[in-house]
Amino acid sequence: MKLWTSEHVFNHPWETVTKAAMQKYPNPMNPNVFGVDVLDRRVDASGRLHSTRLLSTEWGLPSMAKSMFGVTRTCTYVQEHSIVDPKEKTFELKSTNISFTNMVSVDEKLTYKPHPENPEKTVLTQEAVISGREAMEWVIRRLNNEIEELAATARGTMRAPMAAAAAADE
């Protein structure tokens, strides 16, 4: 499991950054996200906006990785749930992949809040947890099998010329 965190300060107020973040896909700066479907959207009794969206993405994998993982398609889907609280001025967005979860799981959490010292700025805190031990074990087993097969093939092709050379010496 890998935990990754970062923080970024936007030189814009929380309202502007939140509106932009809610509308960031699709966009020409990141063509890998080509579809956004709203699955659910509601306002709760406290006035918070809850949204659940499905993102369709195409990241592409090198052909070696495709063959290693045994996949031909690289279209992946991400489920995203967000809560915008206009009273507390917080925007929390959680996303997780729902494709290839047998290989790797990526859970990301973004939190947008006004900067504590300057309300004309917004602080983004980003966290990600990446887990995929089972996938790594599978890849290692597959690589070991391929190495064993190559070694066996190499031993077989080495024996034939050596036997022929030995016969020629007699």
Side-chain angles (χ1 to χ4, degrees):
M1 176 168 62
K2 170 82 173 164
L3 181 64
W4 175 76
T5 61
S6 71
E7 192 172 278
H8 178 76
V9 177
F10 292 96
N11 291 318
H12 304 281
W14 177 84
E15 294 82 0
T16 303
V17 173
T18 298
K19 287 176 192 172
M22 292 287 290
Q23 299 175 35
K24 70 180 173 181
Y25 298 124
N27 74 65
M29 301 300 289
N30 186 353
N32 298 323
V33 178
F34 63 87
V36 178
D37 295 296
V38 177
L39 304 178
D40 184 51
R41 185 163 281 160
R42 64 182 173 80
V43 177
D44 68 17
S46 300
R48 298 178 304 172
L49 174 65
H50 295 256
S51 298
T52 302
R53 305 188 311 174
L54 179 69
L55 306 180
S56 303
T57 67
E58 178 66 58
W59 292 96
L61 288 173
S63 57
M64 182 178 153
K66 285 182 188 178
S67 64
M68 192 180 297
F69 291 125
V71 298
T72 54
R73 67 178 180 90
T74 56
C75 177
T76 59
Y77 299 97
V78 175
Q79 183 175 338
E80 177 185 274
H81 181 75
S82 63
I83 302 173
V84 179
D85 188 335
K87 293 177 188 166
E88 296 294 322
K89 290 194 175 187
T90 60
F91 172 36
E92 183 177 281
L93 186 144
K94 293 180 181 179
S95 62
T96 187
N97 63 302
I98 56 177
S99 299
F100 303 116
T101 55
N102 59 326
M103 293 181 216
V104 67
S105 181
V106 180
D107 297 301
E108 183 181 41
K109 178 181 172 184
L110 308 176
T111 306
Y112 299 84
K113 294 182 178 183
H115 192 282
E117 297 166 11
N118 184 346
E120 293 302 308
K121 295 183 178 186
T122 302
V123 178
L124 163 63
T125 305
Q126 190 171 16
E127 303 170 22
V129 176
I130 303 168
S131 47
R133 187 183 64 179
E134 296 83 12
M136 290 300 293
E137 293 294 339
W138 179 83
V139 170
I140 290 168
R141 281 193 306 275
R142 188 164 174 168
L143 288 173
N144 285 339
N145 288 341
E146 288 180 14
I147 291 168
E148 287 175 21
E149 288 174 17
L150 284 171
T153 302
R155 282 192 299 271
T157 57
M158 294 287 287
R159 287 188 182 133
M162 290 171 68
D169 288 340
E170 294 175 1

